[in-house]
Amino acid sequence: MKVVKFGGSSVANGEQIKKITNIIHADIERRIVVVSAPGKRYSEDVKVTDLLIQLGETIRDGGKYDEVYDWIMGRFQSIIDELEIPQEVYHTINKKIDASIQHVIEEGERGLDALKACGEDGAALLVSAYLNQSGLDAAYVNPSEAGIVVRDQPGGALVLEESFERLYQLRERSEVLVIPGFFGFTPEEKLVTFSRGGSDITGSIVAAGVKADLYENFTDVDSVFSVNPMLVDNPQPMTSLTYREMRELSYAGFTVFHDEALIPAVKAKIPVCIKNTNNPSAPGTMIVSELEDRERDVVGIASDSGFLNIYVSKFLMNREIGFGRRLLQILEDEGVSFEHAPSGIDDMSVILREHQLPPEKESIVLKRIKDELEVDTVLIERGMALIMIVGEGMNHNIGMASRAATAFREAQVNIEMINQGSSEVSMMFGVKSSGLPAAVRSLYRTFFQEEKVKQS
C-alpha cells in the first residue's frame, strides 16, 4: 500500500487534478491520497489558504469580506467547471465555508482554524468526486473519520498516539480514500490545524498509521536539489537522502518538505519518495532511514535569512551555575522561541527568528537580561542568515570545517557564528544576510564542483 500526498500546485486547477488522477490510475497500490489546499496557478496568483486567512482576519476585525469570499468561492467553482463534476460538490464546500465563518464570528481567533482548513477540505471533496467520475471507487474521508486525533493547540496541533491505531483500520477499506491534510480533531471533536504547511504532516501521519510500504510526496520539482536553484544555476539533484539529512535540510531552508513532516515516517521507518506531479515518470528523491556509504560527504547546502542574534558577555560566565538556564528562562517567560544557543567561556549567543522578537518585546528582554543577569554586554544583531552544510559522511571526514572556512574566505564573507551538532550530520554558519548568496555559491563550488573534478 502507498500513501500519496499532493501539494497545493498539484490541485491548483482542474488540469492539475486530471494529472493526479492519472497518477492514481497508474498504480493500484496508491490507495490513500492526502491533499493540500489549491495553490497558485501562476506566479502572481494567491493560494486559497492565504485567501481564507485574509477572510477570517477581516471577519474577526469586523470588516467587509464579500470580495474575498467571492474570490474563494470562484476558485472552487472554476475547478468544478473545468472537471465537469456535479454542482452539488460546490454546495457542500460552500456550506462548510459558511459554517466556518459562523465559527469565526462566534469564537473569534479560535474559529480561524476551522476556516483555514476549508482549503484542504474542499480540495479533498473535489479530488474524490473527480476520481469517482474517472471510474475509480473513491471516498472522501474527513480526518475525524480517519482517526487523526490531535492535541488542542490551534495552529500548532500535535498528533496523539491513539491516532495510529485508528488509522490502521483504513487498510480494511477497498476504495481509494481521499483525506484533507493540515488538520485533525481533538478528543472533544474540536477542529485544530497543524502549523503552516501541515499537509505534509498529515501525509506522514497517515503513512505511519496504515504502515504503508511507501509514502509518495508529489510536488512541482523532479527531485530535491543539492542547493537552492535561485542561488546556483543547474544544481545537482539528490537521488537519495537519509531521514536525518532531510530533516536538517528542511529546517534550514529547504521548502520542498515541511521540517516536522518526516517525524511520523521516521519513527515507522517508512521510505519517502519526493516526485513531480508534472513529470511522474522521473525517479524523484528517495528518503530512507539508512544509506550505504556514498562518495560525497556533503549532500546538500541549505540557507535561510530572517534571523537575529542576542549576544551576551559576562566575565567568568562559565563559573556561574545556571546562567544559560536563566537566560533561556527569560526568553521563555516572554514567549520567545529560540533556534540555537552556541556559547564560549565568557559569552553566549542565542539565535532566533526575527519575528519572534518585535521591537516592543526586544526592549523588555534586553532590560531583563541586564537587570537579572548583571551582564557586561548584551546586544542584538538583526539581519542574520544561517547556512547549513549537511551530509551523513561528514562525521568521519577530517577537515570539513577547514574547507568550509576557506570557502567563506574566498567569498569574502565573515563567519559570525559556527555551530555543529553532536551527531555531526550538519554544520551551521551564521553570516550577515547580505553575504548569503556569495557564501552559498562558494560552498557549492567547494563541496560539489571542485569535488566532482577531483573524482573524475
Side-chain angles (χ1 to χ4, degrees), residues 296-352:
R296 189 180 303 285
D297 298 316
V298 174
V299 298
I301 302 169
S303 57
D304 203 4
S305 56
F307 294 90
L308 64 80
N309 175 28
I310 302 177
Y311 174 78
V312 179
S313 176
K314 185 177 184 180
F315 185 59
L316 295 179
M317 180 191 292
N318 65 313
R319 302 281 296 276
E320 192 170 327
I321 297 173
F323 183 91
R325 176 188 56 77
R326 289 187 290 135
L327 172 58
L328 297 179
Q329 185 65 54
I330 291 173
L331 297 180
E332 182 181 342
D333 291 345
E334 301 301 330
V336 176
S337 174
F338 78 99
E339 305 289 328
H340 304 278
S343 63
I345 296 175
D346 292 327
D347 55 22
M348 183 173 179
S349 291
V350 183
I351 311 296
L352 45 129

Short mmCIF file of all heavy atoms in Angstrom, two decimals, residues 296-352:
data_model
loop_
_atom_site.label_atom_id
_atom_site.label_comp_id
_atom_site.label_asym_id
_atom_site.label_seq_id
_atom_site.Cartn_x
_atom_site.Cartn_y
_atom_site.Cartn_z
N ARG A 296 30.16 11.15 -1.83
CA ARG A 296 30.09 12.55 -1.41
C ARG A 296 29.78 12.66 0.08
O ARG A 296 28.87 12.01 0.59
CB ARG A 296 29.02 13.27 -2.22
CG ARG A 296 29.01 14.78 -2.02
CD ARG A 296 27.92 15.43 -2.86
NE ARG A 296 28.06 15.11 -4.26
CZ ARG A 296 28.98 15.66 -5.06
NH1 ARG A 296 29.84 16.53 -4.58
NH2 ARG A 296 29.03 15.33 -6.33
N ASP A 297 30.56 13.48 0.78
CA ASP A 297 30.35 13.68 2.22
C ASP A 297 29.23 14.68 2.48
O ASP A 297 28.43 14.51 3.39
CB ASP A 297 31.64 14.16 2.88
CG ASP A 297 32.75 13.14 2.75
OD1 ASP A 297 32.48 11.94 2.97
OD2 ASP A 297 33.89 13.52 2.42
N VAL A 298 29.19 15.77 1.69
CA VAL A 298 28.15 16.78 1.82
C VAL A 298 27.12 16.53 0.72
O VAL A 298 27.46 16.49 -0.46
CB VAL A 298 28.73 18.21 1.68
CG1 VAL A 298 27.60 19.25 1.65
CG2 VAL A 298 29.68 18.50 2.83
N VAL A 299 25.85 16.35 1.10
CA VAL A 299 24.81 16.09 0.10
C VAL A 299 23.98 17.32 -0.22
O VAL A 299 23.33 17.37 -1.26
CB VAL A 299 23.87 14.94 0.55
CG1 VAL A 299 24.65 13.65 0.70
CG2 VAL A 299 23.13 15.30 1.83
N GLY A 300 23.99 18.31 0.68
CA GLY A 300 23.18 19.49 0.43
C GLY A 300 23.65 20.70 1.20
O GLY A 300 24.32 20.59 2.24
N ILE A 301 23.30 21.86 0.68
CA ILE A 301 23.60 23.14 1.34
C ILE A 301 22.29 23.90 1.45
O ILE A 301 21.64 24.22 0.45
CB ILE A 301 24.61 23.98 0.53
CG1 ILE A 301 25.91 23.20 0.32
CG2 ILE A 301 24.88 25.31 1.22
CD1 ILE A 301 26.85 23.85 -0.69
N ALA A 302 21.86 24.14 2.67
CA ALA A 302 20.61 24.87 2.91
C ALA A 302 20.91 26.24 3.47
O ALA A 302 21.94 26.45 4.12
CB ALA A 302 19.72 24.08 3.88
N SER A 303 20.01 27.17 3.22
CA SER A 303 20.23 28.53 3.72
C SER A 303 18.90 29.22 3.94
O SER A 303 17.92 28.93 3.26
CB SER A 303 21.08 29.34 2.73
OG SER A 303 20.47 29.38 1.45
N ASP A 304 18.89 30.12 4.89
CA ASP A 304 17.68 30.87 5.20
C ASP A 304 18.06 32.17 5.88
O ASP A 304 19.04 32.22 6.64
CB ASP A 304 16.76 30.05 6.11
CG ASP A 304 15.31 30.48 6.02
OD1 ASP A 304 15.00 31.36 5.20
OD2 ASP A 304 14.48 29.94 6.77
N SER A 305 17.30 33.21 5.62
CA SER A 305 17.55 34.51 6.26
C SER A 305 16.44 34.81 7.25
O SER A 305 15.55 33.99 7.48
CB SER A 305 17.65 35.61 5.19
OG SER A 305 16.48 35.62 4.40
N GLY A 306 16.49 36.01 7.85
CA GLY A 306 15.45 36.39 8.80
C GLY A 306 15.73 35.98 10.24
O GLY A 306 14.80 35.72 11.01
N PHE A 307 17.01 35.95 10.62
CA PHE A 307 17.39 35.60 11.99
C PHE A 307 18.01 36.79 12.70
O PHE A 307 18.42 37.78 12.07
CB PHE A 307 18.41 34.44 11.98
CG PHE A 307 17.87 33.14 11.47
CD1 PHE A 307 17.94 32.80 10.13
CD2 PHE A 307 17.27 32.23 12.35
CE1 PHE A 307 17.45 31.60 9.66
CE2 PHE A 307 16.78 31.03 11.88
CZ PHE A 307 16.86 30.71 10.54
N LEU A 308 18.08 36.69 14.01
CA LEU A 308 18.83 37.67 14.80
C LEU A 308 19.63 36.94 15.87
O LEU A 308 19.35 35.79 16.20
CB LEU A 308 17.90 38.73 15.42
CG LEU A 308 16.85 38.31 16.46
CD1 LEU A 308 17.46 38.13 17.84
CD2 LEU A 308 15.77 39.37 16.53
N ASN A 309 20.62 37.64 16.40
CA ASN A 309 21.49 37.07 17.42
C ASN A 309 21.46 37.95 18.67
O ASN A 309 21.72 39.16 18.59
CB ASN A 309 22.93 37.00 16.87
CG ASN A 309 23.93 36.53 17.92
OD1 ASN A 309 23.57 35.82 18.85
ND2 ASN A 309 25.18 36.96 17.79
N ILE A 310 21.11 37.35 19.80
CA ILE A 310 21.25 38.04 21.09
C ILE A 310 22.62 37.63 21.65
O ILE A 310 22.83 36.46 22.00
CB ILE A 310 20.14 37.65 22.08
CG1 ILE A 310 18.76 37.96 21.49
CG2 ILE A 310 20.33 38.39 23.40
CD1 ILE A 310 17.61 37.52 22.38
N TYR A 311 23.53 38.57 21.70
CA TYR A 311 24.88 38.28 22.18
C TYR A 311 25.02 38.78 23.62
O TYR A 311 24.73 39.94 23.94
CB TYR A 311 25.93 38.97 21.30
CG TYR A 311 27.34 38.84 21.82
CD1 TYR A 311 28.05 37.65 21.66
CD2 TYR A 311 27.95 39.90 22.51
CE1 TYR A 311 29.34 37.52 22.15
CE2 TYR A 311 29.24 39.77 23.01
CZ TYR A 311 29.93 38.58 22.82
OH TYR A 311 31.20 38.46 23.32
N VAL A 312 25.46 37.88 24.50
CA VAL A 312 25.60 38.19 25.93
C VAL A 312 27.03 37.85 26.37
O VAL A 312 27.54 36.77 26.06
CB VAL A 312 24.60 37.40 26.78
CG1 VAL A 312 24.78 37.71 28.26
CG2 VAL A 312 23.17 37.69 26.34
N SER A 313 27.66 38.78 27.06
CA SER A 313 29.02 38.55 27.56
C SER A 313 29.09 38.89 29.05
O SER A 313 28.52 39.90 29.48
CB SER A 313 30.01 39.42 26.77
OG SER A 313 31.32 39.27 27.30
N LYS A 314 29.77 38.02 29.80
CA LYS A 314 29.96 38.28 31.23
C LYS A 314 31.23 37.56 31.68
O LYS A 314 31.39 36.36 31.44
CB LYS A 314 28.76 37.80 32.04
CG LYS A 314 28.84 38.16 33.52
CD LYS A 314 27.59 37.73 34.27
CE LYS A 314 27.65 38.17 35.73
NZ LYS A 314 26.45 37.78 36.48
N PHE A 315 32.12 38.29 32.32
CA PHE A 315 33.37 37.70 32.78
C PHE A 315 33.09 36.58 33.78
O PHE A 315 32.27 36.70 34.68
CB PHE A 315 34.24 38.79 33.44
CG PHE A 315 35.60 38.30 33.85
CD1 PHE A 315 36.49 37.78 32.92
CD2 PHE A 315 36.01 38.36 35.18
CE1 PHE A 315 37.74 37.33 33.29
CE2 PHE A 315 37.25 37.92 35.57
CZ PHE A 315 38.13 37.39 34.61
N LEU A 316 33.77 35.44 33.57
CA LEU A 316 33.60 34.23 34.39
C LEU A 316 32.19 33.64 34.30
O LEU A 316 31.69 33.02 35.24
CB LEU A 316 33.96 34.51 35.86
CG LEU A 316 35.42 34.87 36.15
CD1 LEU A 316 35.63 35.14 37.63
CD2 LEU A 316 36.37 33.77 35.66
N MET A 317 31.58 33.81 33.15
CA MET A 317 30.25 33.23 32.93
C MET A 317 30.26 31.71 33.17
O MET A 317 29.32 31.15 33.71
CB MET A 317 29.77 33.51 31.50
CG MET A 317 28.40 32.93 31.16
SD MET A 317 28.01 33.02 29.40
CE MET A 317 27.85 34.78 29.16
N ASN A 318 31.37 31.08 32.78
CA ASN A 318 31.44 29.62 32.91
C ASN A 318 31.44 29.15 34.36
O ASN A 318 31.17 27.99 34.65
CB ASN A 318 32.70 29.09 32.21
CG ASN A 318 33.98 29.58 32.87
OD1 ASN A 318 34.10 30.76 33.16
ND2 ASN A 318 34.95 28.69 33.08
N ARG A 319 31.74 30.04 35.31
CA ARG A 319 31.75 29.69 36.73
C ARG A 319 30.39 29.91 37.39
O ARG A 319 30.19 29.53 38.54
CB ARG A 319 32.82 30.53 37.46
CG ARG A 319 34.24 30.37 36.93
CD ARG A 319 34.88 29.10 37.44
NE ARG A 319 35.05 29.14 38.88
CZ ARG A 319 36.09 29.72 39.51
NH1 ARG A 319 37.05 30.29 38.79
NH2 ARG A 319 36.17 29.69 40.82
N GLU A 320 29.49 30.53 36.65
CA GLU A 320 28.20 30.91 37.23
C GLU A 320 27.17 29.82 36.91
O GLU A 320 26.66 29.72 35.80
CB GLU A 320 27.74 32.26 36.66
CG GLU A 320 26.56 32.85 37.41
CD GLU A 320 26.29 34.29 36.99
OE1 GLU A 320 27.26 35.02 36.67
OE2 GLU A 320 25.11 34.68 36.99
N ILE A 321 26.88 29.00 37.88
CA ILE A 321 25.97 27.87 37.69
C ILE A 321 24.57 28.36 37.35
O ILE A 321 24.01 29.23 38.01
CB ILE A 321 25.92 26.99 38.96
CG1 ILE A 321 27.31 26.38 39.22
CG2 ILE A 321 24.87 25.89 38.83
CD1 ILE A 321 27.42 25.63 40.53
N GLY A 322 24.02 27.80 36.26
CA GLY A 322 22.64 28.13 35.88
C GLY A 322 22.49 29.35 35.02
O GLY A 322 21.36 29.77 34.74
N PHE A 323 23.61 29.96 34.57
CA PHE A 323 23.49 31.19 33.78
C PHE A 323 22.70 30.95 32.49
O PHE A 323 21.77 31.70 32.18
CB PHE A 323 24.88 31.74 33.43
CG PHE A 323 24.82 33.05 32.68
CD1 PHE A 323 24.83 34.25 33.37
CD2 PHE A 323 24.74 33.08 31.29
CE1 PHE A 323 24.77 35.46 32.68
CE2 PHE A 323 24.67 34.27 30.60
CZ PHE A 323 24.68 35.46 31.30
N GLY A 324 23.06 29.91 31.74
CA GLY A 324 22.37 29.63 30.49
C GLY A 324 20.90 29.35 30.69
O GLY A 324 20.05 29.82 29.92
N ARG A 325 20.60 28.59 31.74
CA ARG A 325 19.20 28.28 32.03
C ARG A 325 18.41 29.54 32.31
O ARG A 325 17.28 29.72 31.82
CB ARG A 325 19.11 27.32 33.22
CG ARG A 325 17.67 27.00 33.66
CD ARG A 325 17.65 26.21 34.95
NE ARG A 325 18.36 26.88 36.03
CZ ARG A 325 17.86 27.91 36.72
NH1 ARG A 325 16.67 28.41 36.42
NH2 ARG A 325 18.57 28.45 37.71
N ARG A 326 18.99 30.44 33.10
CA ARG A 326 18.27 31.67 33.46
C ARG A 326 18.09 32.59 32.25
O ARG A 326 17.07 33.27 32.12
CB ARG A 326 19.00 32.40 34.59
CG ARG A 326 18.87 31.67 35.93
CD ARG A 326 19.43 32.47 37.08
NE ARG A 326 20.89 32.54 37.01
CZ ARG A 326 21.60 33.64 37.19
NH1 ARG A 326 20.99 34.79 37.41
NH2 ARG A 326 22.92 33.61 37.13
N LEU A 327 19.09 32.59 31.36
CA LEU A 327 18.96 33.40 30.15
C LEU A 327 17.81 32.88 29.28
O LEU A 327 16.95 33.64 28.82
CB LEU A 327 20.27 33.37 29.36
CG LEU A 327 20.25 34.02 27.96
CD1 LEU A 327 19.84 35.49 28.04
CD2 LEU A 327 21.62 33.88 27.29
N LEU A 328 17.78 31.57 29.08
CA LEU A 328 16.72 30.98 28.26
C LEU A 328 15.37 31.07 28.96
O LEU A 328 14.32 31.15 28.30
CB LEU A 328 17.05 29.53 27.93
CG LEU A 328 18.33 29.32 27.09
CD1 LEU A 328 18.57 27.84 26.85
CD2 LEU A 328 18.25 30.07 25.77
N GLN A 329 15.38 31.10 30.31
CA GLN A 329 14.12 31.24 31.05
C GLN A 329 13.48 32.59 30.79
O GLN A 329 12.25 32.72 30.70
CB GLN A 329 14.37 31.06 32.55
CG GLN A 329 13.11 31.06 33.41
CD GLN A 329 12.21 29.88 33.11
OE1 GLN A 329 12.64 28.75 33.16
NE2 GLN A 329 10.95 30.15 32.79
N ILE A 330 14.32 33.62 30.65
CA ILE A 330 13.79 34.95 30.34
C ILE A 330 13.05 34.92 29.01
O ILE A 330 11.95 35.47 28.86
CB ILE A 330 14.93 35.99 30.31
CG1 ILE A 330 15.47 36.21 31.74
CG2 ILE A 330 14.45 37.32 29.71
CD1 ILE A 330 16.71 37.08 31.80
N LEU A 331 13.65 34.27 28.03
CA LEU A 331 13.01 34.17 26.72
C LEU A 331 11.70 33.38 26.82
O LEU A 331 10.68 33.76 26.23
CB LEU A 331 13.95 33.50 25.72
CG LEU A 331 15.25 34.23 25.41
CD1 LEU A 331 16.08 33.44 24.41
CD2 LEU A 331 14.98 35.63 24.87
N GLU A 332 11.72 32.29 27.59
CA GLU A 332 10.50 31.51 27.75
C GLU A 332 9.41 32.33 28.42
O GLU A 332 8.24 32.28 28.01
CB GLU A 332 10.80 30.25 28.58
CG GLU A 332 9.59 29.35 28.76
CD GLU A 332 9.88 28.11 29.59
OE1 GLU A 332 11.06 27.76 29.76
OE2 GLU A 332 8.92 27.50 30.08
N ASP A 333 9.78 33.07 29.45
CA ASP A 333 8.81 33.91 30.16
C ASP A 333 8.13 34.90 29.21
O ASP A 333 6.95 35.23 29.37
CB ASP A 333 9.48 34.70 31.29
CG ASP A 333 9.94 33.80 32.43
OD1 ASP A 333 9.49 32.64 32.48
OD2 ASP A 333 10.76 34.27 33.26
N GLU A 334 8.89 35.39 28.24
CA GLU A 334 8.37 36.40 27.31
C GLU A 334 7.78 35.77 26.05
O GLU A 334 7.45 36.47 25.09
CB GLU A 334 9.48 37.39 26.93
CG GLU A 334 10.09 38.13 28.11
CD GLU A 334 9.07 38.94 28.90
OE1 GLU A 334 8.07 39.38 28.28
OE2 GLU A 334 9.25 39.10 30.12
N GLY A 335 7.66 34.43 26.03
CA GLY A 335 7.04 33.76 24.90
C GLY A 335 7.89 33.76 23.65
O GLY A 335 7.36 33.78 22.53
N VAL A 336 9.21 33.71 23.82
CA VAL A 336 10.14 33.76 22.69
C VAL A 336 10.77 32.40 22.50
O VAL A 336 11.35 31.84 23.43
CB VAL A 336 11.24 34.83 22.92
CG1 VAL A 336 12.26 34.80 21.78
CG2 VAL A 336 10.62 36.21 23.05
N SER A 337 10.68 31.87 21.28
CA SER A 337 11.27 30.57 20.95
C SER A 337 12.63 30.79 20.30
O SER A 337 12.77 31.63 19.41
CB SER A 337 10.36 29.81 19.99
OG SER A 337 10.97 28.62 19.55
N PHE A 338 13.64 30.05 20.76
CA PHE A 338 14.98 30.22 20.18
C PHE A 338 15.33 29.02 19.31
O PHE A 338 14.73 27.95 19.40
CB PHE A 338 16.03 30.42 21.29
CG PHE A 338 16.46 29.15 21.99
CD1 PHE A 338 17.63 28.51 21.63
CD2 PHE A 338 15.69 28.61 23.02
CE1 PHE A 338 18.03 27.34 22.28
CE2 PHE A 338 16.07 27.45 23.67
CZ PHE A 338 17.25 26.81 23.30
N GLU A 339 16.34 29.21 18.44
CA GLU A 339 16.75 28.17 17.49
C GLU A 339 18.06 27.50 17.91
O GLU A 339 18.18 26.28 17.85
CB GLU A 339 16.92 28.79 16.09
CG GLU A 339 15.69 29.53 15.58
CD GLU A 339 14.54 28.61 15.23
OE1 GLU A 339 14.81 27.47 14.81
OE2 GLU A 339 13.38 29.02 15.39
N HIS A 340 19.06 28.30 18.28
CA HIS A 340 20.38 27.78 18.63
C HIS A 340 20.96 28.62 19.75
O HIS A 340 20.63 29.80 19.89
CB HIS A 340 21.33 27.80 17.43
CG HIS A 340 20.81 27.06 16.25
ND1 HIS A 340 20.90 25.70 16.11
CD2 HIS A 340 20.15 27.51 15.15
CE1 HIS A 340 20.32 25.34 14.98
NE2 HIS A 340 19.86 26.41 14.38
N ALA A 341 21.87 28.03 20.53
CA ALA A 341 22.50 28.76 21.63
C ALA A 341 23.96 28.36 21.77
O ALA A 341 24.35 27.75 22.76
CB ALA A 341 21.73 28.54 22.93
N PRO A 342 24.82 28.69 20.79
CA PRO A 342 26.26 28.41 20.93
C PRO A 342 26.87 29.30 22.00
O PRO A 342 26.43 30.43 22.23
CB PRO A 342 26.82 28.76 19.54
CG PRO A 342 25.85 29.73 18.96
CD PRO A 342 24.50 29.35 19.50
N SER A 343 27.90 28.78 22.70
CA SER A 343 28.47 29.55 23.80
C SER A 343 29.98 29.37 23.87
O SER A 343 30.54 28.42 23.34
CB SER A 343 27.83 29.12 25.12
OG SER A 343 28.12 27.76 25.39
N GLY A 344 30.62 30.33 24.56
CA GLY A 344 32.05 30.28 24.84
C GLY A 344 32.26 30.33 26.35
O GLY A 344 31.32 30.10 27.13
N ILE A 345 33.48 30.65 26.76
CA ILE A 345 33.77 30.70 28.20
C ILE A 345 33.06 31.87 28.87
O ILE A 345 32.45 31.73 29.93
CB ILE A 345 35.29 30.80 28.43
CG1 ILE A 345 35.99 29.53 27.92
CG2 ILE A 345 35.60 30.98 29.92
CD1 ILE A 345 37.49 29.58 27.99
N ASP A 346 33.15 33.04 28.23
CA ASP A 346 32.58 34.25 28.83
C ASP A 346 31.45 34.85 28.01
O ASP A 346 31.02 35.98 28.29
CB ASP A 346 33.68 35.31 29.00
CG ASP A 346 34.71 34.92 30.04
OD1 ASP A 346 34.34 34.25 31.02
OD2 ASP A 346 35.89 35.27 29.87
N ASP A 347 31.01 34.16 26.98
CA ASP A 347 29.92 34.73 26.18
C ASP A 347 28.99 33.64 25.67
O ASP A 347 29.31 32.46 25.69
CB ASP A 347 30.46 35.56 25.01
CG ASP A 347 31.43 34.79 24.13
OD1 ASP A 347 31.39 33.55 24.14
OD2 ASP A 347 32.24 35.43 23.43
N MET A 348 27.83 34.09 25.25
CA MET A 348 26.80 33.17 24.77
C MET A 348 25.95 33.90 23.75
O MET A 348 25.64 35.09 23.91
CB MET A 348 25.94 32.70 25.95
CG MET A 348 24.87 31.69 25.59
SD MET A 348 24.04 31.08 27.09
CE MET A 348 22.85 29.94 26.37
N SER A 349 25.61 33.20 22.68
CA SER A 349 24.72 33.75 21.66
C SER A 349 23.44 32.94 21.63
O SER A 349 23.45 31.72 21.81
CB SER A 349 25.38 33.71 20.28
OG SER A 349 26.47 34.60 20.19
N VAL A 350 22.33 33.61 21.39
CA VAL A 350 21.05 32.93 21.22
C VAL A 350 20.50 33.38 19.88
O VAL A 350 20.24 34.56 19.66
CB VAL A 350 20.06 33.27 22.35
CG1 VAL A 350 18.77 32.47 22.15
CG2 VAL A 350 20.67 32.97 23.72
N ILE A 351 20.34 32.41 18.98
CA ILE A 351 19.85 32.69 17.64
C ILE A 351 18.35 32.43 17.59
O ILE A 351 17.89 31.38 18.03
CB ILE A 351 20.55 31.80 16.58
CG1 ILE A 351 22.07 31.85 16.76
CG2 ILE A 351 20.14 32.21 15.18
CD1 ILE A 351 22.70 33.18 16.53
N LEU A 352 17.59 33.39 17.07
CA LEU A 352 16.17 33.20 16.92
C LEU A 352 15.65 33.88 15.67
O LEU A 352 16.34 34.72 15.08
CB LEU A 352 15.40 33.70 18.15
CG LEU A 352 15.76 35.03 18.76
CD1 LEU A 352 14.53 35.87 18.94
CD2 LEU A 352 16.39 34.78 20.12
#
